[in-house]
Amino acid sequence: MLILRKCLREMTLLALLSLGFFALNAFGDLASPGPTSAIEIFRRSLEDNIRVQLASKLETDISQIRVKIENLQVRPSLPLQDEYTLQALGLGAAGTRRFDGLFQLGVLIEAFDSSRQIEVEVSGNLQVTGPVVVAAKSIFRGQVVNAVDITTKILPWKILPTGASGRSSAEFLGLASKIQIAPGDPLHEGLFEQPHLVKPGERVELTLYSGPGVIIRSHGVARQAGRLGDTIRIEQPETKKAVAGSITGPKSVEVRL
């Protein structure tokens, strides 16, 4: 009887050890990563390509830009090829617009040996974190922006209004603010306009073209405000005659008679 009990204990222990070994192997198989799928490789390559293009447009280091794509859809279905390059199309036309949220782009896929080239349409949800120009201090309505007024921070682009662009700080210099902007507020093109180069009542330099090769330099008084390229009325002090001229620079107007 003792021998039988001993055999039963040994058989039970052996069964438990076998079951544990089987479970351990099964868990290991589930935990070990499988081969990366074709769509995952494509997604990573597309994220990298968008990062490169945005960094180039913003003239910044690629390490300052992060791109994440979720719910990626490809139409037609992704071709089965192991080695290829890709190029996101439309970034040139779209510029550095805010991508955060739903997006749709064309993508050109080319085999490494250039033997095959196809274009697919991709869509999904894209999130970008990168340089955002913000106000370094209060910017008042009508104020022309200088370098000391702005700074750059790495922020999610979702804080920008829909359609607004990620911009380099240089693009805001020399523009006039349409509204008062608080320190830390993100800047975008909708907040600014070209400054007035001529104000009413200002003395301006006139360049008059009265015929082929005939150029007269004179002065006048602006009766209207205007920006570069605007046509305004100018009064000549001697004759009190008003003429129309095009603004060519600060307090500078060109008149063609």
Side-chain angles (χ1 to χ4, degrees), residues 1 40 75 79 81 88 99 128 172 180 188 200 209 211 213 222 238 242 250:
M1 183 64 69
E40 178 65 13
R75 294 178 297 274
Q81 51 186 22
F99 279 105
V128 176
F172 293 102
Q180 182 167 336
H188 57 86
Y209 295 86
E238 299 82 5

Side-chain angles (χ1 to χ4, degrees), residues 7 83 103 105 208:
C7 290
E83 296 183 337
F103 80 101
L105 284 174
L208 297 95

Side-chain angles (χ1 to χ4, degrees), residues 41-56:
I41 295 172
F42 179 83
R43 181 184 65 80
R44 293 176 183 176
S45 298
L46 181 57
E47 289 174 344
D48 288 341
N49 184 257
I50 292 175
R51 288 177 66 223
V52 168
Q53 292 196 56
L54 293 181
S56 175

Side-chain angles (χ1 to χ4, degrees), residues 2-171:
L2 292 176
I3 296 175
L4 179 59
R5 289 179 180 176
K6 184 177 180 181
C7 290
L8 288 174
R9 283 199 300 270
E10 291 178 352
M11 291 175 63
T12 302
L13 181 59
L14 181 61
L16 290 174
L17 289 174
S18 299
L19 182 61
F21 182 74
F22 174 79
L24 183 61
N25 284 342
F27 179 79
D29 290 341
L30 291 174
S32 59
T36 305
S37 66
I39 192 69
E40 178 65 13
I41 295 172
F42 179 83
R43 181 184 65 80
R44 293 176 183 176
S45 298
L46 181 57
E47 289 174 344
D48 288 341
N49 184 257
I50 292 175
R51 288 177 66 223
V52 168
Q53 292 196 56
L54 293 181
S56 175
K57 290 179 181 300
L58 292 176
E59 298 181 349
T60 189
D61 191 274
I62 193 172
S63 64
Q64 292 190 310
I65 297 179
R66 297 192 297 274
V67 173
K68 182 179 180 181
I69 299 176
E70 297 178 338
N71 303 321
L72 179 64
Q73 302 292 325
V74 182
R75 294 178 297 274
S77 59
L78 195 63
L80 296 176
Q81 51 186 22
D82 294 331
E83 296 183 337
Y84 58 85
T85 60
L86 61 78
Q87 175 80 15
L89 305 176
L91 293 190
T96 49
R97 63 181 174 81
R98 171 189 156 182
F99 279 105
D100 194 83
L102 299 178
F103 80 101
Q104 184 172 315
L105 284 174
V107 176
L108 185 67
I109 302 175
E110 183 175 343
F112 273 167
D113 59 6
S114 301
S115 61
R116 188 183 181 196
Q117 190 178 77
I118 64 170
E119 184 175 335
V120 298
E121 184 179 274
V122 301
S123 60
N125 192 298
L126 188 146
Q127 301 170 19
V128 176
T129 298
V132 174
V133 183
V134 300
K137 54 185 180 179
S138 294
I139 299 176
F140 300 98
R141 182 178 180 181
Q143 179 180 334
V144 176
V145 175
N146 294 312
V148 295
D149 300 319
I150 58 179
T151 188
T152 301
K153 294 184 178 180
I154 306 299
L155 298 169
W157 281 13
K158 65 182 180 181
I159 67 173
L160 295 171
T162 301
S165 303
R167 299 277 182 171
S168 66
S169 58
E171 295 182 63

